[in-house]
């Protein structure tokens, strides 16, 4: 059964359905109707919104782990978060452009947990400090279809597959490729009524060319792109930026070979530069788990602010003129840090490190 927009979709189901719709359309079969095609496209985009958002909590935890906010690696991570916010906003704009609505507060990711859409089903994403092991998790999230094509990296080779589409392990980029094909085939009328713009959402989708541009931005900046490490804007795609952090060397174009290679060292000492932060346990830091009243205060303060952030993001695309909600959401996102950083610096009784925020959504009735 193919999921409706009110069920949790699976990326393999989405891509299989896209294949079927494309084949029936190509053969002129009446088996599928345009309304069903559009509903499936909305389902895929709604899942993409949830997936883009799910990358933010682990990436934010990595940033807040740094003792120096302006450390070059922290700045690179911050740039990745900004681009992920852009990707989420672009997916939201495409979704509302074809008559859908994102379900941000209904599909809140849970950590530790699997990625939305069952992308990379072998992967469980934790919330914890910035470590080499966590970088490998980030690289798996952002894995291109063929990562070994552009960089000889042991970690890349160990997680790459010869043909991910045949073994059920689809990359995020492959899902977007099929989404773009569906847009081109259906060429739906796009409404701008509920779309928003801003520093982290700077593209309104008015025409099919805008859709192509939006999806290409997402794929080239990260999300399993199949292109070169350089996005064309003097910037590396996310997977390769994480590879730099793992290797602790800059990935640069070697003029003598025409290929990218790890060259200039990056000054990163995990013991010196980041706070040790333990993984969040299953279920999070509830009062039943935490006895320290100050930890409880910080955890609840963080989660109340996080819940407000999600409510504002939901409101931004729910109603016409949601621009103000989006601006308030950006401001609220910065407020998370004042709870997260002191929490991460408070050692747990088991000596494994500090507490990472658990990013739990609190319903309005429980606030």
């Amino acid at each position: 059964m193919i999921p409706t927009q009110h069920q949790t979709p699976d990326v393999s189901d989405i891509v299989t359905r896209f294949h079927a719709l494309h084949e029936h359309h190509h053969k002129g079969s009446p088996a599928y109707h345009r309304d069903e095609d559009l509903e499936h496209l909305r389902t895929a985009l709604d899942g993409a919104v949830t997936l883009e958002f799910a990358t933010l909590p682990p990436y934010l935890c990595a940033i807040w782990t740094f003792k120096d906010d302006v450390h070059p690696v922290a700045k690179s991570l911050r740039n990745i978060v900004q681009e992920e916010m852009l990707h989420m906003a672009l997916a939201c704009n495409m979704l509302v452009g074809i008559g859908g609505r994102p379900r941000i507060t209904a599909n809140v990711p849970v950590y530790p947990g699997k990625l939305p859409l069952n992308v990379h089903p072998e992967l469980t994403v934790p919330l914890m400090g910035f470590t080499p092991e966590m970088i490998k998790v980030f690289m798996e999230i952002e894995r291109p279809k063929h990562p070994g094509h552009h960089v000889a990296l042991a970690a890349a080779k160990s997680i790459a597959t010869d043909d991910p589409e045949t073994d059920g392990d689809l990359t995020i980029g492959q899902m977007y490729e099929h989404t773009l094909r569906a847009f081109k085939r259906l060429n739906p009328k796009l409404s701008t009524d509920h779309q928003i713009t801003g520093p982290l959402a700077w593209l309104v989708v008015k025409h099919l060319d805008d859709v192509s541009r939006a999806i290409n931005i997402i794929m080239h900046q990260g999300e399993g792109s199949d292109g070169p490490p350089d996005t064309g804007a003097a910037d590396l795609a996310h997977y390769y930026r994480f590879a730099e952090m793992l290797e602790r060397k800059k990935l640069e174009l070697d003029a003598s070979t025409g290929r990218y290679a790890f060259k200039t060292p990056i000054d990163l000492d995990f013991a010196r530069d980041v706070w040790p932060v333990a993984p969040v346990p299953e279920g999070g830091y509830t009062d039943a788990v935490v006895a320290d009243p100050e930890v409880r205060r910080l955890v609840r303060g963080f989660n109340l602010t996080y819940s407000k952030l999600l409510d504002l993001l939901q409101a931004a695309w729910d109603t016409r003129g949601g621009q103000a909600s989006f601006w308030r959401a950006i401001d609220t996102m910065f407020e998370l840090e004042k709870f997260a950083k002191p929490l991460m610096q408070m050692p747990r009784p088991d000596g494994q490190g500090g507490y990472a925020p658990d990013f739990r959504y609190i319903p309005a009735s429980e606030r």
Side-chain angles (χ1 to χ4, degrees):
M1 176 180 172
I2 299 299
T4 68
Q5 195 175 359
H6 300 291
Q7 294 172 304
T8 302
D10 183 289
V11 68
S12 61
D13 290 336
I14 287 173
V15 170
T16 298
R17 179 62 181 260
F18 275 145
H19 273 304
L21 295 176
H22 178 75
E23 286 300 312
H24 282 278
H25 175 81
H26 181 70
K27 295 174 181 177
S29 170
Y32 295 102
H33 301 288
R34 181 178 175 83
D35 287 348
E36 293 179 26
D37 293 10
L38 280 170
E39 185 60 28
H40 184 65
L41 184 55
R42 294 185 192 109
T43 298
L45 287 169
D46 187 39
V49 170
T50 306
L51 182 58
E52 297 295 351
F53 183 79
T55 66
L56 295 176
Y59 293 174
L60 285 170
C61 282
I63 294 171
W64 296 328
T65 307
F66 274 83
K67 298 177 182 179
D68 182 0
D69 288 337
V70 296
H71 190 285
V73 173
K75 291 169 69 175
S76 182
L77 286 165
R78 197 171 290 111
N79 185 251
I80 289 171
V81 164
Q82 291 169 353
E83 289 178 350
E84 293 294 355
M85 282 292 293
L86 169 63
H87 301 169
M88 177 187 172
L90 292 175
C92 284
N93 278 354
M94 286 187 282
L95 175 58
V96 300
I98 58 172
R101 290 290 180 276
R103 295 179 300 128
I104 297 167
T105 55
N107 293 331
V108 181
V110 175
Y111 306 90
K114 302 296 184 180
L115 288 172
L117 298 179
N118 204 29
V119 171
H120 305 321
E122 81 291 347
L123 182 67
T124 297
V125 180
L127 294 177
M128 57 182 288
F130 185 68
T131 65
E133 291 71 26
M134 200 63 190
I135 296 173
K136 292 175 185 177
V137 171
F138 296 165
M139 290 176 69
E140 175 69 345
I141 293 172
E142 304 282 4
R143 168 163 57 88
K145 189 188 301 182
H146 300 294
H149 282 188
H150 302 290
V151 52
L153 183 68
K157 291 179 179 179
S158 69
I159 61 178
T161 57
D162 291 332
D163 187 358
E165 198 154 340
T166 62
D167 68 2
D169 187 8
L170 290 146
T171 66
I172 300 171
Q174 286 169 284
M175 185 196 72
Y176 277 114
E177 287 173 357
H178 288 283
T179 300
L180 180 55
R181 287 178 66 191
F183 262 108
K184 289 180 177 179
R185 176 167 53 78
L186 294 169
N187 193 18
K189 182 179 179 180
L190 290 157
S191 169
T192 61
D193 284 353
H194 295 275
Q195 296 188 46
I196 63 172
T197 58
L200 301 178
W202 43 261
L203 178 61
V204 171
V205 181
K206 299 178 181 178
H207 309 289
L208 190 57
D209 286 347
D210 298 327
V211 172
S212 295
R213 183 183 175 202
I215 290 179
N216 285 331
I217 287 170
I218 293 171
M219 291 175 61
H220 290 165
Q221 287 184 345
E223 321 306 358
S225 71
D226 196 26
D230 190 344
T231 64
D235 201 0
L236 294 176
H238 297 177
Y239 176 86
Y240 300 101
R241 278 191 251 174
F242 289 132
E244 286 186 322
M245 298 172 197
L246 189 63
E247 294 291 310
R248 288 186 278 181
K249 291 181 181 178
K250 295 291 291 181
L251 186 59
E252 299 164 337
L253 187 63
D254 189 329
S256 64
T257 63
R259 295 178 65 84
Y260 283 83
F262 292 105
K263 302 179 77 173
T264 307
I266 293 174
D267 185 16
L268 172 62
D269 184 323
F270 290 95
R272 178 196 68 197
D273 296 329
V274 300
W275 298 101
V277 178
V280 170
E282 272 194 56
Y285 288 121
T286 61
D287 287 353
V289 174
V290 176
D292 189 322
E294 179 61 9
V295 174
R296 287 183 176 186
R297 184 189 73 81
L298 290 169
V299 167
R300 181 164 176 81
F302 182 95
N303 286 332
L304 285 171
T305 307
Y306 176 59
S307 301
K308 177 184 175 184
L309 167 64
L310 293 185
D311 290 344
L312 288 167
L313 288 172
Q314 184 67 61
W317 281 279
D318 266 353
T319 58
R320 183 183 289 184
Q323 194 72 43
S325 292
F326 187 67
W327 281 99
R328 288 173 61 201
I330 294 173
D331 290 340
T332 304
M333 189 172 177
F334 287 112
E335 292 178 22
L336 293 172
E337 187 171 325
K338 71 180 182 183
F339 297 100
K341 284 213 162 188
L343 190 60
M344 290 176 149
Q345 295 170 38
M346 297 185 69
R348 296 196 329 184
D350 58 12
Q352 293 187 32
Y355 295 83
D358 55 10
F359 284 86
R360 282 183 292 129
Y361 180 73
I362 302 175
S365 61
E366 299 176 19
R367 296 178 196 172

